[in-house]
PDB file of all heavy atoms in Angstrom:
ATOM      1  N   LEU A 291       7.672 -37.970 -39.351  1.00  0.00           N
ATOM      2  CA  LEU A 291       6.265 -37.726 -39.042  1.00  0.00           C
ATOM      3  C   LEU A 291       5.804 -36.452 -39.732  1.00  0.00           C
ATOM      4  O   LEU A 291       6.470 -35.416 -39.643  1.00  0.00           O
ATOM      5  CB  LEU A 291       6.064 -37.576 -37.535  1.00  0.00           C
ATOM      6  CG  LEU A 291       6.474 -38.764 -36.651  1.00  0.00           C
ATOM      7  CD1 LEU A 291       6.515 -38.349 -35.196  1.00  0.00           C
ATOM      8  CD2 LEU A 291       5.529 -39.937 -36.855  1.00  0.00           C
ATOM      9  N   SER A 292       4.663 -36.512 -40.406  1.00  0.00           N
ATOM     10  CA  SER A 292       4.084 -35.288 -40.961  1.00  0.00           C
ATOM     11  C   SER A 292       3.478 -34.465 -39.831  1.00  0.00           C
ATOM     12  O   SER A 292       3.184 -34.973 -38.735  1.00  0.00           O
ATOM     13  CB  SER A 292       3.026 -35.618 -42.012  1.00  0.00           C
ATOM     14  OG  SER A 292       2.015 -36.459 -41.484  1.00  0.00           O
ATOM     15  N   ARG A 293       3.282 -33.183 -40.088  1.00  0.00           N
ATOM     16  CA  ARG A 293       2.882 -32.272 -39.021  1.00  0.00           C
ATOM     17  C   ARG A 293       1.525 -32.633 -38.417  1.00  0.00           C
ATOM     18  O   ARG A 293       1.328 -32.497 -37.203  1.00  0.00           O
ATOM     19  CB  ARG A 293       2.851 -30.833 -39.556  1.00  0.00           C
ATOM     20  CG  ARG A 293       2.619 -29.814 -38.455  1.00  0.00           C
ATOM     21  CD  ARG A 293       2.768 -28.395 -38.958  1.00  0.00           C
ATOM     22  NE  ARG A 293       2.756 -27.448 -37.843  1.00  0.00           N
ATOM     23  CZ  ARG A 293       2.967 -26.147 -37.956  1.00  0.00           C
ATOM     24  NH1 ARG A 293       3.224 -25.617 -39.158  1.00  0.00           N
ATOM     25  NH2 ARG A 293       2.951 -25.351 -36.890  1.00  0.00           N
ATOM     26  N   ASP A 294       0.593 -33.108 -39.223  1.00  0.00           N
ATOM     27  CA  ASP A 294      -0.725 -33.448 -38.680  1.00  0.00           C
ATOM     28  C   ASP A 294      -0.629 -34.583 -37.673  1.00  0.00           C
ATOM     29  O   ASP A 294      -1.355 -34.598 -36.669  1.00  0.00           O
ATOM     30  CB  ASP A 294      -1.696 -33.817 -39.810  1.00  0.00           C
ATOM     31  CG  ASP A 294      -1.198 -34.976 -40.660  1.00  0.00           C
ATOM     32  OD1 ASP A 294      -0.027 -34.965 -41.069  1.00  0.00           O
ATOM     33  OD2 ASP A 294      -1.994 -35.901 -40.929  1.00  0.00           O
ATOM     34  N   ILE A 295       0.293 -35.525 -37.886  1.00  0.00           N
ATOM     35  CA  ILE A 295       0.481 -36.612 -36.925  1.00  0.00           C
ATOM     36  C   ILE A 295       1.147 -36.096 -35.652  1.00  0.00           C
ATOM     37  O   ILE A 295       0.773 -36.498 -34.540  1.00  0.00           O
ATOM     38  CB  ILE A 295       1.293 -37.751 -37.551  1.00  0.00           C
ATOM     39  CG1 ILE A 295       0.450 -38.457 -38.616  1.00  0.00           C
ATOM     40  CG2 ILE A 295       1.752 -38.740 -36.490  1.00  0.00           C
ATOM     41  CD1 ILE A 295       1.122 -39.641 -39.262  1.00  0.00           C
ATOM     42  N   VAL A 296       2.116 -35.212 -35.797  1.00  0.00           N
ATOM     43  CA  VAL A 296       2.746 -34.619 -34.613  1.00  0.00           C
ATOM     44  C   VAL A 296       1.687 -33.941 -33.740  1.00  0.00           C
ATOM     45  O   VAL A 296       1.691 -34.075 -32.509  1.00  0.00           O
ATOM     46  CB  VAL A 296       3.830 -33.600 -35.024  1.00  0.00           C
ATOM     47  CG1 VAL A 296       4.371 -32.866 -33.802  1.00  0.00           C
ATOM     48  CG2 VAL A 296       4.968 -34.296 -35.768  1.00  0.00           C
ATOM     49  N   ARG A 297       0.771 -33.231 -34.365  1.00  0.00           N
ATOM     50  CA  ARG A 297      -0.293 -32.559 -33.607  1.00  0.00           C
ATOM     51  C   ARG A 297      -1.161 -33.560 -32.860  1.00  0.00           C
ATOM     52  O   ARG A 297      -1.580 -33.301 -31.719  1.00  0.00           O
ATOM     53  CB  ARG A 297      -1.138 -31.713 -34.557  1.00  0.00           C
ATOM     54  CG  ARG A 297      -0.430 -30.456 -35.061  1.00  0.00           C
ATOM     55  CD  ARG A 297      -1.208 -29.783 -36.160  1.00  0.00           C
ATOM     56  NE  ARG A 297      -0.638 -28.479 -36.494  1.00  0.00           N
ATOM     57  CZ  ARG A 297      -0.982 -27.765 -37.565  1.00  0.00           C
ATOM     58  NH1 ARG A 297      -1.885 -28.241 -38.417  1.00  0.00           N
ATOM     59  NH2 ARG A 297      -0.423 -26.592 -37.787  1.00  0.00           N
ATOM     60  N   GLN A 298      -1.456 -34.697 -33.473  1.00  0.00           N
ATOM     61  CA  GLN A 298      -2.270 -35.712 -32.805  1.00  0.00           C
ATOM     62  C   GLN A 298      -1.500 -36.349 -31.644  1.00  0.00           C
ATOM     63  O   GLN A 298      -2.098 -36.650 -30.601  1.00  0.00           O
ATOM     64  CB  GLN A 298      -2.684 -36.785 -33.816  1.00  0.00           C
ATOM     65  CG  GLN A 298      -3.635 -36.303 -34.900  1.00  0.00           C
ATOM     66  CD  GLN A 298      -4.942 -35.792 -34.324  1.00  0.00           C
ATOM     67  OE1 GLN A 298      -5.623 -36.496 -33.578  1.00  0.00           O
ATOM     68  NE2 GLN A 298      -5.284 -34.554 -34.652  1.00  0.00           N
ATOM     69  N   ILE A 299      -0.218 -36.551 -31.824  1.00  0.00           N
ATOM     70  CA  ILE A 299       0.597 -37.097 -30.734  1.00  0.00           C
ATOM     71  C   ILE A 299       0.587 -36.152 -29.532  1.00  0.00           C
ATOM     72  O   ILE A 299       0.445 -36.575 -28.380  1.00  0.00           O
ATOM     73  CB  ILE A 299       2.035 -37.349 -31.215  1.00  0.00           C
ATOM     74  CG1 ILE A 299       2.061 -38.500 -32.220  1.00  0.00           C
ATOM     75  CG2 ILE A 299       2.973 -37.637 -30.041  1.00  0.00           C
ATOM     76  CD1 ILE A 299       3.384 -38.678 -32.931  1.00  0.00           C
ATOM     77  N   ILE A 300       0.733 -34.856 -29.794  1.00  0.00           N
ATOM     78  CA  ILE A 300       0.706 -33.867 -28.715  1.00  0.00           C
ATOM     79  C   ILE A 300      -0.676 -33.832 -28.061  1.00  0.00           C
ATOM     80  O   ILE A 300      -0.797 -33.835 -26.830  1.00  0.00           O
ATOM     81  CB  ILE A 300       1.078 -32.479 -29.266  1.00  0.00           C
ATOM     82  CG1 ILE A 300       2.525 -32.471 -29.775  1.00  0.00           C
ATOM     83  CG2 ILE A 300       0.881 -31.404 -28.200  1.00  0.00           C
ATOM     84  CD1 ILE A 300       2.886 -31.245 -30.586  1.00  0.00           C
ATOM     85  N   ARG A 301      -1.706 -33.821 -28.888  1.00  0.00           N
ATOM     86  CA  ARG A 301      -3.072 -33.707 -28.370  1.00  0.00           C
ATOM     87  C   ARG A 301      -3.452 -34.891 -27.498  1.00  0.00           C
ATOM     88  O   ARG A 301      -4.122 -34.737 -26.477  1.00  0.00           O
ATOM     89  CB  ARG A 301      -4.044 -33.589 -29.539  1.00  0.00           C
ATOM     90  CG  ARG A 301      -5.500 -33.444 -29.113  1.00  0.00           C
ATOM     91  CD  ARG A 301      -6.407 -33.293 -30.323  1.00  0.00           C
ATOM     92  NE  ARG A 301      -7.800 -33.140 -29.925  1.00  0.00           N
ATOM     93  CZ  ARG A 301      -8.817 -33.041 -30.781  1.00  0.00           C
ATOM     94  NH1 ARG A 301      -8.575 -33.089 -32.101  1.00  0.00           N
ATOM     95  NH2 ARG A 301     -10.058 -32.902 -30.337  1.00  0.00           N
ATOM     96  N   TYR A 302      -3.032 -36.090 -27.895  1.00  0.00           N
ATOM     97  CA  TYR A 302      -3.421 -37.303 -27.180  1.00  0.00           C
ATOM     98  C   TYR A 302      -2.218 -37.944 -26.482  1.00  0.00           C
ATOM     99  O   TYR A 302      -2.130 -39.167 -26.393  1.00  0.00           O
ATOM    100  CB  TYR A 302      -4.062 -38.294 -28.148  1.00  0.00           C
ATOM    101  CG  TYR A 302      -5.338 -37.780 -28.763  1.00  0.00           C
ATOM    102  CD1 TYR A 302      -5.375 -37.375 -30.094  1.00  0.00           C
ATOM    103  CD2 TYR A 302      -6.512 -37.667 -27.999  1.00  0.00           C
ATOM    104  CE1 TYR A 302      -6.541 -36.884 -30.660  1.00  0.00           C
ATOM    105  CE2 TYR A 302      -7.677 -37.182 -28.570  1.00  0.00           C
ATOM    106  CZ  TYR A 302      -7.687 -36.783 -29.894  1.00  0.00           C
ATOM    107  OH  TYR A 302      -8.843 -36.302 -30.440  1.00  0.00           O
ATOM    108  N   SER A 303      -1.333 -37.100 -25.976  1.00  0.00           N
ATOM    109  CA  SER A 303      -0.117 -37.617 -25.350  1.00  0.00           C
ATOM    110  C   SER A 303      -0.425 -38.497 -24.136  1.00  0.00           C
ATOM    111  O   SER A 303       0.376 -39.379 -23.796  1.00  0.00           O
ATOM    112  CB  SER A 303       0.793 -36.470 -24.935  1.00  0.00           C
ATOM    113  OG  SER A 303       0.141 -35.611 -24.011  1.00  0.00           O
ATOM    114  N   ASN A 304      -1.572 -38.285 -23.499  1.00  0.00           N
ATOM    115  CA  ASN A 304      -1.927 -39.111 -22.344  1.00  0.00           C
ATOM    116  C   ASN A 304      -2.140 -40.575 -22.732  1.00  0.00           C
ATOM    117  O   ASN A 304      -2.078 -41.461 -21.889  1.00  0.00           O
ATOM    118  CB  ASN A 304      -3.184 -38.569 -21.661  1.00  0.00           C
ATOM    119  CG  ASN A 304      -4.396 -38.590 -22.572  1.00  0.00           C
ATOM    120  OD1 ASN A 304      -4.304 -38.194 -23.741  1.00  0.00           O
ATOM    121  ND2 ASN A 304      -5.535 -39.030 -22.062  1.00  0.00           N
ATOM    122  N   ARG A 305      -2.381 -40.830 -24.013  1.00  0.00           N
ATOM    123  CA  ARG A 305      -2.552 -42.211 -24.469  1.00  0.00           C
ATOM    124  C   ARG A 305      -1.214 -42.870 -24.776  1.00  0.00           C
ATOM    125  O   ARG A 305      -1.144 -44.080 -25.003  1.00  0.00           O
ATOM    126  CB  ARG A 305      -3.428 -42.252 -25.722  1.00  0.00           C
ATOM    127  CG  ARG A 305      -4.807 -41.646 -25.531  1.00  0.00           C
ATOM    128  CD  ARG A 305      -5.669 -41.880 -26.747  1.00  0.00           C
ATOM    129  NE  ARG A 305      -6.957 -41.210 -26.635  1.00  0.00           N
ATOM    130  CZ  ARG A 305      -7.937 -41.312 -27.534  1.00  0.00           C
ATOM    131  NH1 ARG A 305      -7.760 -42.057 -28.611  1.00  0.00           N
ATOM    132  NH2 ARG A 305      -9.064 -40.657 -27.361  1.00  0.00           N
ATOM    133  N   ILE A 306      -0.153 -42.079 -24.814  1.00  0.00           N
ATOM    134  CA  ILE A 306       1.181 -42.601 -25.112  1.00  0.00           C
ATOM    135  C   ILE A 306       2.061 -42.550 -23.875  1.00  0.00           C
ATOM    136  O   ILE A 306       2.843 -43.457 -23.626  1.00  0.00           O
ATOM    137  CB  ILE A 306       1.839 -41.768 -26.236  1.00  0.00           C
ATOM    138  CG1 ILE A 306       0.913 -41.706 -27.455  1.00  0.00           C
ATOM    139  CG2 ILE A 306       3.185 -42.338 -26.625  1.00  0.00           C
ATOM    140  CD1 ILE A 306       1.385 -40.743 -28.525  1.00  0.00           C
ATOM    141  N   ASN A 307       1.914 -41.518 -23.086  1.00  0.00           N
ATOM    142  CA  ASN A 307       2.763 -41.267 -21.920  1.00  0.00           C
ATOM    143  C   ASN A 307       2.348 -42.082 -20.712  1.00  0.00           C
ATOM    144  O   ASN A 307       2.044 -41.539 -19.662  1.00  0.00           O
ATOM    145  CB  ASN A 307       2.690 -39.780 -21.555  1.00  0.00           C
ATOM    146  CG  ASN A 307       3.892 -39.032 -22.077  1.00  0.00           C
ATOM    147  OD1 ASN A 307       4.952 -39.601 -22.225  1.00  0.00           O
ATOM    148  ND2 ASN A 307       3.710 -37.755 -22.346  1.00  0.00           N
ATOM    149  N   ILE A 308       2.293 -43.365 -20.838  1.00  0.00           N
ATOM    150  CA  ILE A 308       1.864 -44.185 -19.713  1.00  0.00           C
ATOM    151  C   ILE A 308       3.029 -45.055 -19.248  1.00  0.00           C
ATOM    152  O   ILE A 308       3.822 -45.525 -20.062  1.00  0.00           O
ATOM    153  CB  ILE A 308       0.645 -45.061 -20.074  1.00  0.00           C
ATOM    154  CG1 ILE A 308       0.955 -45.944 -21.294  1.00  0.00           C
ATOM    155  CG2 ILE A 308      -0.573 -44.204 -20.328  1.00  0.00           C
ATOM    156  CD1 ILE A 308      -0.177 -46.866 -21.672  1.00  0.00           C
ATOM    157  N   PRO A 309       3.159 -45.264 -17.944  1.00  0.00           N
ATOM    158  CA  PRO A 309       4.275 -46.070 -17.424  1.00  0.00           C
ATOM    159  C   PRO A 309       4.006 -47.561 -17.614  1.00  0.00           C
ATOM    160  O   PRO A 309       3.286 -48.190 -16.840  1.00  0.00           O
ATOM    161  CB  PRO A 309       4.319 -45.690 -15.940  1.00  0.00           C
ATOM    162  CG  PRO A 309       2.917 -45.272 -15.625  1.00  0.00           C
ATOM    163  CD  PRO A 309       2.345 -44.668 -16.884  1.00  0.00           C
ATOM    164  N   TYR A 310       4.541 -48.134 -18.657  1.00  0.00           N
ATOM    165  CA  TYR A 310       4.352 -49.553 -18.916  1.00  0.00           C
ATOM    166  C   TYR A 310       4.992 -50.375 -17.803  1.00  0.00           C
ATOM    167  O   TYR A 310       6.019 -49.992 -17.252  1.00  0.00           O
ATOM    168  CB  TYR A 310       4.979 -49.932 -20.254  1.00  0.00           C
ATOM    169  CG  TYR A 310       4.147 -49.538 -21.445  1.00  0.00           C
ATOM    170  CD1 TYR A 310       4.193 -48.243 -21.950  1.00  0.00           C
ATOM    171  CD2 TYR A 310       3.314 -50.459 -22.062  1.00  0.00           C
ATOM    172  CE1 TYR A 310       3.435 -47.880 -23.053  1.00  0.00           C
ATOM    173  CE2 TYR A 310       2.556 -50.107 -23.174  1.00  0.00           C
ATOM    174  CZ  TYR A 310       2.627 -48.822 -23.663  1.00  0.00           C
ATOM    175  OH  TYR A 310       1.880 -48.464 -24.746  1.00  0.00           O
ATOM    176  N   PRO A 311       4.409 -51.543 -17.486  1.00  0.00           N
ATOM    177  CA  PRO A 311       5.002 -52.381 -16.434  1.00  0.00           C
ATOM    178  C   PRO A 311       6.330 -52.996 -16.847  1.00  0.00           C
ATOM    179  O   PRO A 311       7.075 -53.485 -16.025  1.00  0.00           O
ATOM    180  CB  PRO A 311       3.939 -53.464 -16.229  1.00  0.00           C
ATOM    181  CG  PRO A 311       3.171 -53.489 -17.514  1.00  0.00           C
ATOM    182  CD  PRO A 311       3.163 -52.078 -18.016  1.00  0.00           C
ATOM    183  N   ARG A 312       6.646 -53.002 -18.124  1.00  0.00           N
ATOM    184  CA  ARG A 312       7.938 -53.487 -18.593  1.00  0.00           C
ATOM    185  C   ARG A 312       8.478 -52.475 -19.601  1.00  0.00           C
ATOM    186  O   ARG A 312       7.762 -51.600 -20.051  1.00  0.00           O
ATOM    187  CB  ARG A 312       7.800 -54.870 -19.252  1.00  0.00           C
ATOM    188  CG  ARG A 312       6.837 -54.887 -20.427  1.00  0.00           C
ATOM    189  CD  ARG A 312       6.626 -56.301 -20.939  1.00  0.00           C
ATOM    190  NE  ARG A 312       5.654 -56.343 -22.012  1.00  0.00           N
ATOM    191  CZ  ARG A 312       5.919 -56.139 -23.295  1.00  0.00           C
ATOM    192  NH1 ARG A 312       7.164 -55.850 -23.657  1.00  0.00           N
ATOM    193  NH2 ARG A 312       4.985 -56.224 -24.211  1.00  0.00           N
ATOM    194  N   TYR A 313       9.742 -52.626 -19.943  1.00  0.00           N
ATOM    195  CA  TYR A 313      10.349 -51.669 -20.868  1.00  0.00           C
ATOM    196  C   TYR A 313       9.754 -51.797 -22.260  1.00  0.00           C
ATOM    197  O   TYR A 313       9.734 -52.884 -22.848  1.00  0.00           O
ATOM    198  CB  TYR A 313      11.858 -51.871 -20.943  1.00  0.00           C
ATOM    199  CG  TYR A 313      12.486 -51.026 -22.020  1.00  0.00           C
ATOM    200  CD1 TYR A 313      12.652 -49.659 -21.822  1.00  0.00           C
ATOM    201  CD2 TYR A 313      12.866 -51.571 -23.234  1.00  0.00           C
ATOM    202  CE1 TYR A 313      13.207 -48.852 -22.804  1.00  0.00           C
ATOM    203  CE2 TYR A 313      13.417 -50.781 -24.226  1.00  0.00           C
ATOM    204  CZ  TYR A 313      13.582 -49.426 -24.003  1.00  0.00           C
ATOM    205  OH  TYR A 313      14.112 -48.633 -24.985  1.00  0.00           O
ATOM    206  N   ILE A 314       9.242 -50.701 -22.787  1.00  0.00           N
ATOM    207  CA  ILE A 314       8.817 -50.604 -24.176  1.00  0.00           C
ATOM    208  C   ILE A 314       9.422 -49.323 -24.724  1.00  0.00           C
ATOM    209  O   ILE A 314       9.247 -48.252 -24.147  1.00  0.00           O
ATOM    210  CB  ILE A 314       7.288 -50.589 -24.331  1.00  0.00           C
ATOM    211  CG1 ILE A 314       6.692 -51.912 -23.826  1.00  0.00           C
ATOM    212  CG2 ILE A 314       6.895 -50.355 -25.786  1.00  0.00           C
ATOM    213  CD1 ILE A 314       5.193 -51.996 -23.943  1.00  0.00           C
ATOM    214  N   ALA A 315      10.134 -49.442 -25.812  1.00  0.00           N
ATOM    215  CA  ALA A 315      10.831 -48.292 -26.370  1.00  0.00           C
ATOM    216  C   ALA A 315       9.847 -47.202 -26.771  1.00  0.00           C
ATOM    217  O   ALA A 315       8.734 -47.476 -27.231  1.00  0.00           O
ATOM    218  CB  ALA A 315      11.663 -48.711 -27.573  1.00  0.00           C
ATOM    219  N   GLU A 316      10.284 -45.960 -26.601  1.00  0.00           N
ATOM    220  CA  GLU A 316       9.427 -44.809 -26.913  1.00  0.00           C
ATOM    221  C   GLU A 316       9.018 -44.778 -28.378  1.00  0.00           C
ATOM    222  O   GLU A 316       7.897 -44.408 -28.717  1.00  0.00           O
ATOM    223  CB  GLU A 316      10.169 -43.542 -26.497  1.00  0.00           C
ATOM    224  CG  GLU A 316       9.741 -42.272 -27.175  1.00  0.00           C
ATOM    225  CD  GLU A 316      10.669 -41.947 -28.315  1.00  0.00           C
ATOM    226  OE1 GLU A 316      11.882 -42.165 -28.191  1.00  0.00           O
ATOM    227  OE2 GLU A 316      10.170 -41.472 -29.339  1.00  0.00           O
ATOM    228  N   ASP A 317       9.916 -45.201 -29.299  1.00  0.00           N
ATOM    229  CA  ASP A 317       9.545 -45.205 -30.711  1.00  0.00           C
ATOM    230  C   ASP A 317       8.431 -46.210 -30.989  1.00  0.00           C
ATOM    231  O   ASP A 317       7.554 -45.966 -31.835  1.00  0.00           O
ATOM    232  CB  ASP A 317      10.754 -45.461 -31.612  1.00  0.00           C
ATOM    233  CG  ASP A 317      11.552 -46.693 -31.222  1.00  0.00           C
ATOM    234  OD1 ASP A 317      11.233 -47.312 -30.201  1.00  0.00           O
ATOM    235  OD2 ASP A 317      12.508 -47.018 -31.953  1.00  0.00           O
ATOM    236  N   LYS A 318       8.426 -47.334 -30.264  1.00  0.00           N
ATOM    237  CA  LYS A 318       7.340 -48.302 -30.435  1.00  0.00           C
ATOM    238  C   LYS A 318       6.035 -47.753 -29.874  1.00  0.00           C
ATOM    239  O   LYS A 318       4.964 -47.978 -30.447  1.00  0.00           O
ATOM    240  CB  LYS A 318       7.679 -49.638 -29.778  1.00  0.00           C
ATOM    241  CG  LYS A 318       6.616 -50.710 -30.073  1.00  0.00           C
ATOM    242  CD  LYS A 318       6.961 -52.050 -29.488  1.00  0.00           C
ATOM    243  CE  LYS A 318       6.016 -53.118 -29.983  1.00  0.00           C
ATOM    244  NZ  LYS A 318       4.581 -52.788 -29.836  1.00  0.00           N
ATOM    245  N   MET A 319       6.099 -47.042 -28.744  1.00  0.00           N
ATOM    246  CA  MET A 319       4.886 -46.430 -28.199  1.00  0.00           C
ATOM    247  C   MET A 319       4.258 -45.479 -29.217  1.00  0.00           C
ATOM    248  O   MET A 319       3.034 -45.499 -29.436  1.00  0.00           O
ATOM    249  CB  MET A 319       5.206 -45.657 -26.915  1.00  0.00           C
ATOM    250  CG  MET A 319       5.610 -46.499 -25.732  1.00  0.00           C
ATOM    251  SD  MET A 319       5.811 -45.430 -24.264  1.00  0.00           S
ATOM    252  CE  MET A 319       6.574 -46.571 -23.129  1.00  0.00           C
ATOM    253  N   ILE A 320       5.086 -44.651 -29.847  1.00  0.00           N
ATOM    254  CA  ILE A 320       4.575 -43.690 -30.826  1.00  0.00           C
ATOM    255  C   ILE A 320       4.053 -44.415 -32.059  1.00  0.00           C
ATOM    256  O   ILE A 320       2.981 -44.099 -32.580  1.00  0.00           O
ATOM    257  CB  ILE A 320       5.655 -42.663 -31.184  1.00  0.00           C
ATOM    258  CG1 ILE A 320       5.932 -41.761 -29.982  1.00  0.00           C
ATOM    259  CG2 ILE A 320       5.242 -41.827 -32.395  1.00  0.00           C
ATOM    260  CD1 ILE A 320       7.050 -40.767 -30.178  1.00  0.00           C
ATOM    261  N   SER A 321       4.805 -45.412 -32.553  1.00  0.00           N
ATOM    262  CA  SER A 321       4.357 -46.178 -33.715  1.00  0.00           C
ATOM    263  C   SER A 321       3.026 -46.853 -33.439  1.00  0.00           C
ATOM    264  O   SER A 321       2.108 -46.834 -34.278  1.00  0.00           O
ATOM    265  CB  SER A 321       5.398 -47.233 -34.103  1.00  0.00           C
ATOM    266  OG  SER A 321       6.513 -46.661 -34.718  1.00  0.00           O
ATOM    267  N   ASP A 322       2.899 -47.472 -32.272  1.00  0.00           N
ATOM    268  CA  ASP A 322       1.648 -48.152 -31.929  1.00  0.00           C
ATOM    269  C   ASP A 322       0.477 -47.176 -31.898  1.00  0.00           C
ATOM    270  O   ASP A 322      -0.627 -47.493 -32.355  1.00  0.00           O
ATOM    271  CB  ASP A 322       1.777 -48.842 -30.572  1.00  0.00           C
ATOM    272  CG  ASP A 322       2.613 -50.108 -30.641  1.00  0.00           C
ATOM    273  OD1 ASP A 322       2.917 -50.559 -31.765  1.00  0.00           O
ATOM    274  OD2 ASP A 322       2.959 -50.650 -29.573  1.00  0.00           O
ATOM    275  N   PHE A 323       0.696 -45.981 -31.374  1.00  0.00           N
ATOM    276  CA  PHE A 323      -0.366 -44.977 -31.342  1.00  0.00           C
ATOM    277  C   PHE A 323      -0.788 -44.584 -32.753  1.00  0.00           C
ATOM    278  O   PHE A 323      -1.980 -44.530 -33.073  1.00  0.00           O
ATOM    279  CB  PHE A 323       0.098 -43.740 -30.577  1.00  0.00           C
ATOM    280  CG  PHE A 323      -0.832 -42.567 -30.689  1.00  0.00           C
ATOM    281  CD1 PHE A 323      -2.017 -42.523 -29.958  1.00  0.00           C
ATOM    282  CD2 PHE A 323      -0.538 -41.516 -31.540  1.00  0.00           C
ATOM    283  CE1 PHE A 323      -2.892 -41.447 -30.072  1.00  0.00           C
ATOM    284  CE2 PHE A 323      -1.401 -40.431 -31.652  1.00  0.00           C
ATOM    285  CZ  PHE A 323      -2.579 -40.401 -30.930  1.00  0.00           C
ATOM    286  N   VAL A 324       0.187 -44.327 -33.617  1.00  0.00           N
ATOM    287  CA  VAL A 324      -0.134 -43.890 -34.981  1.00  0.00           C
ATOM    288  C   VAL A 324      -0.840 -45.003 -35.746  1.00  0.00           C
ATOM    289  O   VAL A 324      -1.844 -44.762 -36.431  1.00  0.00           O
ATOM    290  CB  VAL A 324       1.147 -43.455 -35.723  1.00  0.00           C
ATOM    291  CG1 VAL A 324       0.843 -43.139 -37.184  1.00  0.00           C
ATOM    292  CG2 VAL A 324       1.756 -42.232 -35.037  1.00  0.00           C
ATOM    293  N   VAL A 325      -0.352 -46.231 -35.612  1.00  0.00           N
ATOM    294  CA  VAL A 325      -0.914 -47.342 -36.379  1.00  0.00           C
ATOM    295  C   VAL A 325      -2.257 -47.793 -35.822  1.00  0.00           C
ATOM    296  O   VAL A 325      -3.249 -47.932 -36.563  1.00  0.00           O
ATOM    297  CB  VAL A 325       0.079 -48.525 -36.420  1.00  0.00           C
ATOM    298  CG1 VAL A 325      -0.567 -49.761 -37.040  1.00  0.00           C
ATOM    299  CG2 VAL A 325       1.333 -48.134 -37.190  1.00  0.00           C
ATOM    300  N   HIS A 326      -2.326 -48.006 -34.519  1.00  0.00           N
ATOM    301  CA  HIS A 326      -3.511 -48.638 -33.940  1.00  0.00           C
ATOM    302  C   HIS A 326      -4.581 -47.643 -33.506  1.00  0.00           C
ATOM    303  O   HIS A 326      -5.773 -47.961 -33.541  1.00  0.00           O
ATOM    304  CB  HIS A 326      -3.109 -49.522 -32.758  1.00  0.00           C
ATOM    305  CG  HIS A 326      -2.144 -50.611 -33.128  1.00  0.00           C
ATOM    306  ND1 HIS A 326      -2.439 -51.579 -34.057  1.00  0.00           N
ATOM    307  CD2 HIS A 326      -0.870 -50.868 -32.709  1.00  0.00           C
ATOM    308  CE1 HIS A 326      -1.419 -52.403 -34.189  1.00  0.00           C
ATOM    309  NE2 HIS A 326      -0.455 -51.986 -33.385  1.00  0.00           N
ATOM    310  N   THR A 327      -4.191 -46.449 -33.095  1.00  0.00           N
ATOM    311  CA  THR A 327      -5.177 -45.449 -32.680  1.00  0.00           C
ATOM    312  C   THR A 327      -5.593 -44.548 -33.837  1.00  0.00           C
ATOM    313  O   THR A 327      -6.781 -44.322 -34.056  1.00  0.00           O
ATOM    314  CB  THR A 327      -4.626 -44.595 -31.518  1.00  0.00           C
ATOM    315  OG1 THR A 327      -4.295 -45.450 -30.423  1.00  0.00           O
ATOM    316  CG2 THR A 327      -5.672 -43.578 -31.065  1.00  0.00           C
ATOM    317  N   LEU A 328      -4.612 -44.060 -34.594  1.00  0.00           N
ATOM    318  CA  LEU A 328      -4.936 -43.187 -35.725  1.00  0.00           C
ATOM    319  C   LEU A 328      -5.249 -43.966 -36.991  1.00  0.00           C
ATOM    320  O   LEU A 328      -5.810 -43.402 -37.937  1.00  0.00           O
ATOM    321  CB  LEU A 328      -3.773 -42.214 -35.993  1.00  0.00           C
ATOM    322  CG  LEU A 328      -3.377 -41.288 -34.845  1.00  0.00           C
ATOM    323  CD1 LEU A 328      -2.264 -40.344 -35.289  1.00  0.00           C
ATOM    324  CD2 LEU A 328      -4.572 -40.495 -34.337  1.00  0.00           C
ATOM    325  N   GLY A 329      -4.884 -45.236 -37.035  1.00  0.00           N
ATOM    326  CA  GLY A 329      -5.200 -46.065 -38.192  1.00  0.00           C
ATOM    327  C   GLY A 329      -4.381 -45.743 -39.429  1.00  0.00           C
ATOM    328  O   GLY A 329      -4.886 -45.846 -40.558  1.00  0.00           O
TER     329      GLY A 329
END
């Protein structure tokens, strides 16, 4: 991850840190945020 993406992950951690009703790996949560939220 480049530093600008790390900053966005920290800033919007509430959009990633959610208790999914089923198991979803943390790397997929982060990937989904970068791809679908940050585009």
Side-chain angles (χ1 to χ4, degrees):
L291 301 167
S292 56
R293 187 173 189 175
D294 58 313
I295 290 183
V296 173
R297 288 171 171 169
Q298 293 299 305
I299 291 170
I300 295 168
R301 181 178 181 183
Y302 297 107
S303 60
N304 62 315
R305 302 187 185 184
I306 306 171
N307 260 332
I308 56 178
Y310 282 82
R312 58 186 177 86
Y313 172 75
I314 297 180
E316 158 262 322
D317 52 355
K318 186 177 189 309
M319 292 185 190
I320 291 176
S321 286
D322 285 349
F323 170 77
V324 174
V325 172
H326 301 300
T327 302
L328 301 183

